Amino acid sequence: MKSFRLRMERRLEAPRAAQVRALAVSLFLALIVIGLLFALLGVNPFYAYQRILVGGFGSLYGLSETIAKAIPLALAGAGLSLAFRARVYNIGAEGQLLIGAIFGGVVALNFPEWPRLALMPTMFLAGFLGGALWASIPALLKARFRVDEVLTTLMMVYIASDVVRYLVYGPLRGPEERGFPYSSRFSATAQLPHIDITRIHYPTLILAILAAILLYLLLERTKLGYEIRVAGENPAAARYAGMDTQKIIVIVLLISGGLAGMAGVGEVAGIHARLSPPEGISPGYGFTAIIVAWLARLNPLATLLTAFLIGGLLVGGDAIQVALNLPAATIQVFNGVILLFVIAGDIFTRYRIRLEKQA
Amino acid sequence: MTDSSPTPPAVLMRGITKRFPGVLANDHIDLEVRQGEIHALLGENGAGKTTLMNILYGIYHPDEGSIEIYGRPVSIHSPHDAIKLGIGMIHQQFRLVQTHTVVENVILGMGKGFVFREKEASEKIRELSARYNLKVDPDAYIWQLSAGEQQRVEILKALYRGAQILILDEPTSMLTPGEIEDLLKTLHRMTEEGHTILFITHKLDEVTAISHRVTILRQGRVIATLETSQTNERELARLMVGREVLFRLSKEQIQPGEVMLQVENLQALNDKGLFALKGISFTIRQGEIFGIAGVAGNGQRELVEALIGLRPVQAGRVFLQKDEITHDSPRARIEKGLACVPSERLTALVPSMSVAENMVLKSYRQPAFGRGILLDRTTVRSYSQRLIEQYAVITPSCDTLVKLLSGGNIQRALLARELSSQPRLLIAATPTAGLDVGATETIWQILLEQRRQGRAILLISEDLEEVMTLSDRVAVLFSGEIMGIVRSEAQNLEKIGLMMAGAFRLPQEEWV
């Protein structure tokens, strides 16, 4: 009796070429699956993809929108890539982003008269503190009691949503908003400047680029970055070498939470100019940033590129939603499928699949 | 050939040979186990006991040889085949689902239909545990049970599947003394019911306490099969350890200097919360290699972890030269000059990082590798390059990932790093495990050269040849205690063998 069996063999090394190939193949497969979904919805997939590309990258307007969406993705994604490198799975950037937005917004609402040069940095600093504060709870739980950060960071997102909702329906509601759940509009100095007529709030863009570069340097050129990489690659070796692994957990969670918080400030001060319910502040940038970090293979510099790509997909998704009359969830499905395939594709860089004959 | 017993043997293995890359694990092994007997398989680590039993249980397939069960030639391709033949095996590491109940674990994988017949199973388990004196609550969850109880569940699982022949791999290693006694009673009870027991062990007292016959393995070969009643612990120890210990490397006489490590009455727990070190004391001087012999699992791992600060010390004190380090952090100990090559090499290295980055794993904090928060990669690389040359580590470059190096080179890199700090004490735990003869020789040369330079070295090894070749003095660790400390001389070999098996304790006034 003969039978066949699939066998997975660990590869000794994952050459860069194999990594790129696996990434390309998984993206391609994801596009096929999503294409089938389009077909099921009665839309020609090629036409849909064309519209997405044109929508996100095919015009100056599309490009500017893509960059506007890439800003929060890059800022939060760079922080997440740092945390993931330490094998600390912060998946609650969305909540940290919301709390950061609130902190920045409270500063904006309370000091509307301050000059921009003083107000803007204070708002971003407050946003960083807010996000870091929100991340500090899972950080302490993990460092002290070894509570799984995947659960706690995720649960903190829902708490953050409700906190924001409570605040904009209650204490922070603007008196002139006639019952709508919005804060008052930010003063002119509290609103971020834009490039020309686009929605690109460039102070946040500069922050995102700086964060990516600094985090890259942190990982590759500092002792702390070395500790983060060792702790992520082999926690046992980190403890053996006398590294403080609890300190590392706390630091990466605070930094990634803080950067997500700054992204939140960018959204409320650069796009909306007011606080609103959570859905109004962020359409899930904190979650999408996970894909951004993963696609970048956890390299903070590369998150700038992947944030741009995913930003384009979001803009293109909006475009087909309108043009092809597709449900709003389509682009979320799109993103979900891509993440699934990219993570699954990772296996093929680490393992070789062999068909084996059995006697 | 005349067969004295009227019934065929329960197990007959003939000419079993099994090769692993670079190792001959089983070399033409013949084994006969009679029905209803308790048969002990005795040997040191790596003697081939577990491999042989894994072949019988269908986990490995032999390269050569044949197996008969109750006189019928069989070919066993998987544990599934073995179970069908009435063979059950209890592994050293239990294979139970922690979050399931006893009943669920016992019937796991047996259901033919969709429905779990839990009531029925529960009844049968109660009946079995009463019959064989295997006290365990069928509705308890596995995580609630002690190691001894979990082992009973494993035995019940095998009996439930109809095992007539039961293999136990080092069944007492995780048990408390009381639990060991219960286990031995159960095994007796089982032979009365007609079961046959195969029992892997390295402990002489257990062999003499319960087995009817014993087969001694050494280096993959059968040395002898004896009636337990016609032998004694002394003979068994001699057969198990052998006499071929060679003294290939010459050691020059060195006058030991100042005391570099002093351990007083050290006590520590294992992961199960039982005492793994029950009050250990010794000292090591400059220019001395102090060897700790003993079979794995007698407290070696806990000793290393307690010394380097990864395991809390319950009682006792540890001094490095004059400094007390009993409760210091791992980092403080490193900075005070404690270096360690642990037995699990990969806990001391980051395989997915470069040789250069691994070379500074303990020293990267020093200002020489970058001012303030910075890490200067150029210095790291040139520093590593020097160590690579000095210790002749063979690697394409210092940017090569450690996991791409051979075992011998990984070990040499590790030693290079640990010695580069000029430590006051080097701990080397099983420094040559898994290495070939040539690589072993190099590592030994490095250690002896360090001794010549006046380094104090604590050598912990299961390889008696290694301990005898390198050490000046040898302590034998058994069940968390030092059984005696003797000079590393050929005439002490038999004593050491007996102490390793827990059959002899040297009076303290005779310790050297």
Side-chain angles (χ1 to χ4, degrees):
Chain A
M1 200 173 69
K2 265 184 188 169
S3 63
F4 288 92
R5 193 165 73 132
L6 276 178
R7 205 182 145 116
M8 297 183 74
E9 267 178 17
R10 223 192 157 95
R11 284 177 197 253
L12 254 181
E13 50 184 328
R16 188 142 290 196
Q19 288 181 17
V20 172
R21 211 182 314 136
L23 191 61
V25 170
S26 13
L27 282 178
F28 181 70
L29 290 176
L31 289 181
I32 288 179
V33 169
I34 299 161
L36 288 174
L37 285 176
F38 280 133
L40 276 176
L41 290 167
V43 174
N44 178 349
F46 295 103
Y47 181 63
Y49 284 135
Q50 189 208 336
R51 291 302 295 253
I52 290 175
L53 274 180
V54 171
F57 307 101
S59 65
L60 272 181
Y61 169 73
L63 274 176
S64 77
E65 277 299 287
T66 294
I67 293 172
K69 286 192 188 297
I71 291 171
L73 292 177
L75 205 42
L80 290 185
S81 64
L82 181 79
F84 295 168
R85 278 292 272 279
R87 251 188 246 175
V88 172
Y89 293 109
N90 175 10
I91 57 169
E94 182 74 5
Q96 294 140 16
L97 182 151
L98 289 174
I99 297 297
I102 292 289
F103 270 59
V106 166
V107 170
L109 292 169
N110 279 296
F111 307 101
E113 308 300 328
W114 281 18
R116 177 176 278 165
L117 271 181
L119 189 51
M120 215 173 61
T122 314
M123 285 166 66
F124 278 116
L125 193 67
F128 187 95
L129 285 176
L133 184 77
W134 209 245
S136 69
I137 298 168
L140 292 178
L141 286 173
K142 170 143 178 121
R144 278 270 164 275
F145 306 110
R146 295 199 208 158
V147 179
D148 192 331
E149 77 281 10
V150 173
L151 290 174
T152 49
T153 52
L154 182 60
M155 288 192 293
M156 294 292 284
V157 173
Y158 300 107
I159 301 174
S161 284
D162 282 339
V163 167
V164 172
R165 216 167 274 130
Y166 163 75
L167 289 173
V168 294
Y169 275 98
L172 290 180
R173 178 149 67 186
E176 69 289 354
E177 297 296 328
R178 278 172 291 164
F180 287 106
Y182 296 120
S183 74
S184 304
R185 258 189 98 74
F186 293 174
S187 68
T189 52
Q191 293 185 33
L192 300 178
H194 296 103
I195 296 180
D196 204 31
I197 55 156
T198 66
R199 299 209 295 164
I200 302 173
H201 38 110
Y202 59 84
T204 328
L205 178 62
I206 294 169
L207 276 179
I209 294 170
L210 271 179
I213 294 171
L214 284 177
L215 289 189
Y216 176 80
L217 292 177
L218 171 73
L219 273 175
E220 299 298 328
R221 300 290 161 87
T222 70
K223 293 174 180 178
L224 175 63
Y226 176 72
E227 289 178 339
I228 290 173
R229 287 185 289 128
V230 170
E233 296 285 341
N234 190 352
R239 280 191 296 276
Y240 158 87
M243 293 176 188
D244 187 344
T245 48
Q246 299 183 351
K247 181 189 86 181
I248 294 168
I249 291 167
V250 172
I251 287 177
V252 298
L253 270 168
L254 292 189
I255 292 180
S256 59
L259 291 177
M262 288 172 103
V265 175
E267 287 310 287
V268 291
I271 305 285
H272 310 298
R274 57 173 19 133
L275 296 175
S276 53
E279 308 72 48
I281 294 175
S282 157
Y285 288 133
F287 291 119
T288 311
I290 298 172
I291 309 178
V292 166
W294 218 268
L295 272 178
R297 303 206 127 263
L298 309 187
N299 178 339
L301 272 184
T303 55
L304 289 175
L305 182 68
T306 54
F308 180 69
L309 289 176
I310 297 289
L313 277 184
L314 292 178
V315 174
D318 287 346
I320 56 167
Q321 213 171 293
V322 179
L324 305 175
N325 198 17
L326 288 171
T330 313
I331 206 67
Q332 286 177 19
V333 173
F334 199 124
N335 274 329
V337 172
I338 287 181
L339 180 61
L340 197 66
F341 273 81
V342 167
I343 289 178
D346 219 34
I347 287 189
F348 295 97
T349 62
R350 280 181 291 128
Y351 294 90
R352 204 192 312 270
I353 310 286
R354 258 182 31 180
L355 196 63
E356 200 173 68
K357 222 188 285 184
Q358 276 189 315
Chain B
M1 223 163 70
T2 53
D3 201 339
S4 57
S5 56
T7 45
V11 177
L12 186 63
M13 299 178 93
R14 273 210 205 112
I16 299 289
T17 299
K18 179 72 189 173
R19 288 179 201 90
F20 291 115
V23 188
L24 189 54
N26 283 171
D27 185 4
H28 295 92
I29 287 191
D30 295 321
L31 176 71
E32 183 217 50
V33 184
R34 293 178 194 147
Q35 286 187 37
E37 78 168 343
I38 297 180
H39 194 110
L41 268 184
L42 180 70
E44 290 184 289
N45 290 80
K49 303 168 297 202
T50 301
T51 303
L52 185 67
M53 289 301 101
N54 279 339
I55 287 171
L56 181 57
Y57 194 55
I59 293 173
Y60 298 142
H61 202 66
D63 298 328
E64 291 166 39
S66 64
I67 304 176
E68 287 176 24
I69 302 294
Y70 297 121
R72 207 160 55 87
V74 294
S75 144
I76 306 171
H77 287 286
S78 68
H80 191 74
D81 290 347
I83 291 165
K84 274 196 288 189
L85 289 165
I87 303 170
M89 180 160 180
I90 318 293
H91 297 273
Q92 216 170 341
Q93 250 81 41
F94 304 137
R95 302 185 177 182
L96 298 168
V97 185
Q98 293 288 320
T99 52
H100 283 192
T101 63
V102 172
V103 178
E104 286 167 344
N105 267 283
V106 169
I107 61 181
L108 186 70
M110 289 194 64
K112 282 277 186 286
F114 189 66
V115 189
F116 248 24
R117 307 219 160 177
E118 225 176 297
K119 262 256 169 60
E120 248 172 72
S122 184
E123 270 316 297
K124 194 168 168 201
I125 290 167
R126 268 177 225 282
E127 190 254 321
L128 282 173
S129 44
R131 177 140 59 113
Y132 294 101
N133 189 28
L134 288 161
K135 275 169 286 180
V136 62
D137 172 9
D139 300 316
Y141 288 92
I142 298 302
W143 57 265
Q144 298 172 317
L145 304 180
S146 72
E149 290 171 312
Q150 294 192 24
Q151 186 179 59
R152 282 175 226 153
V153 178
E154 285 278 18
I155 296 174
L156 281 172
K157 213 165 101 185
L159 292 173
Y160 192 89
R161 283 163 172 68
Q164 284 299 312
I165 301 165
L166 202 63
I167 306 164
L168 296 111
D169 189 356
E170 306 262 0
T172 58
S173 58
M174 301 287 268
L175 303 186
T176 61
E179 286 174 333
I180 293 176
E181 212 158 286
D182 284 344
L183 172 69
L184 298 187
K185 267 187 218 151
T186 298
L187 296 183
H188 260 301
R189 183 84 196 86
M190 288 171 64
T191 53
E192 286 164 21
E193 297 270 338
H195 293 278
T196 304
I197 312 264
L198 258 156
F199 185 113
I200 302 180
T201 187
H202 57 254
K203 293 184 183 147
L204 296 179
D205 53 343
E206 286 168 10
V207 172
T208 49
I210 67 156
S211 73
H212 301 112
R213 292 198 305 155
V214 50
T215 293
I216 300 112
L217 296 186
R218 197 200 312 146
Q219 289 170 350
R221 281 190 218 123
V222 171
I223 301 303
T225 296
L226 305 167
E227 298 280 339
T228 310
S229 56
Q230 282 161 29
T231 180
N232 55 48
E233 294 190 5
R234 182 167 288 260
E235 184 186 22
L236 289 174
R238 187 175 54 75
L239 290 170
M240 176 167 95
V241 175
R243 278 201 171 276
E244 297 91 337
V245 176
L246 303 170
F247 294 87
R248 281 184 291 167
L249 297 175
S250 61
K251 240 182 351 214
E252 51 202 280
Q253 279 301 319
I254 284 180
Q255 198 53 48
E258 201 185 334
V259 171
M260 297 306 271
L261 180 76
Q262 185 170 355
V263 176
E264 288 173 4
N265 189 33
L266 182 67
Q267 297 181 25
L269 304 176
N270 64 14
D271 294 340
K272 295 267 170 197
L274 303 172
F275 271 97
L277 297 176
K278 303 167 185 164
I280 284 187
S281 305
F282 58 88
T283 55
I284 306 178
R285 290 172 180 277
Q286 269 178 332
E288 181 180 47
I289 297 183
F290 184 79
I292 291 202
V295 180
N298 277 297
Q300 287 93 332
R301 190 164 68 90
E302 289 83 1
L303 175 60
V304 172
E305 289 177 354
L307 288 179
I308 64 177
L310 290 178
R311 185 173 289 274
V313 170
Q314 300 296 317
R317 302 172 85 183
V318 182
F319 296 88
L320 195 61
Q321 217 162 359
K322 293 276 185 305
D323 301 329
E324 173 157 10
I325 57 163
T326 316
H327 300 292
D328 277 3
S329 70
R331 180 172 166 183
R333 291 175 206 234
I334 292 167
E335 281 161 4
K336 284 179 183 164
L338 184 66
C340 174
V341 175
S343 57
E344 280 146 39
R345 255 164 252 159
L346 296 186
T347 61
L349 290 162
V350 188
S352 53
M353 286 168 64
S354 71
V355 176
E357 291 196 297
N358 271 284
M359 284 297 196
V360 297
L361 189 67
K362 281 182 169 176
S363 49
Y364 70 96
R365 297 184 193 91
Q366 293 167 7
F369 294 110
R371 268 173 299 139
I373 63 162
L374 296 180
L375 186 67
D376 179 356
R377 294 203 294 190
T378 322
T379 320
V380 169
R381 294 183 75 245
S382 59
Y383 171 80
S384 307
Q385 201 59 52
R386 271 206 310 281
L387 282 181
I388 287 170
E389 278 155 29
Q390 192 184 339
Y391 286 88
V393 179
I394 299 169
T395 171
S397 87
C398 69
D399 299 320
T400 306
L401 302 187
V402 161
K403 64 182 173 188
L404 299 177
L405 303 188
S406 71
N409 276 300
I410 289 179
Q411 193 68 326
R412 222 182 290 184
L414 188 49
L415 263 174
R417 182 185 77 206
E418 294 304 307
L419 292 171
S420 65
S421 63
Q422 299 297 325
R424 294 201 255 180
L425 175 82
L426 172 74
I427 301 172
T430 59
T432 59
L435 302 187
D436 60 35
V437 182
T440 300
E441 197 88 29
T442 326
I443 301 292
W444 285 0
Q445 296 285 9
I446 293 175
L447 291 176
L448 286 176
E449 173 58 29
Q450 288 291 319
R451 171 180 174 270
R452 208 165 347 208
Q453 291 172 17
R455 185 92 52 220
I457 298 174
L458 171 61
L459 171 74
I460 298 170
S461 178
E462 295 147 38
D463 179 352
L464 200 51
E465 180 181 351
E466 178 165 80
V467 175
M468 297 301 281
T469 307
L470 300 179
S471 313
D472 296 284
R473 292 182 298 141
V474 179
V476 179
L477 195 59
F478 177 80
S479 177
E481 290 177 82
I482 289 183
M483 304 297 277
I485 302 178
V486 297
R487 286 211 184 285
S488 155
E489 287 157 0
Q491 75 233 33
N492 288 328
L493 201 53
E494 189 173 314
K495 252 189 233 163
I496 290 173
L498 282 169
M499 291 194 283
M500 278 170 69
F504 173 68
R505 188 191 289 269
L506 191 69
Q508 211 147 104
E509 50 282 5
E510 287 177 43
W511 292 13
V512 292

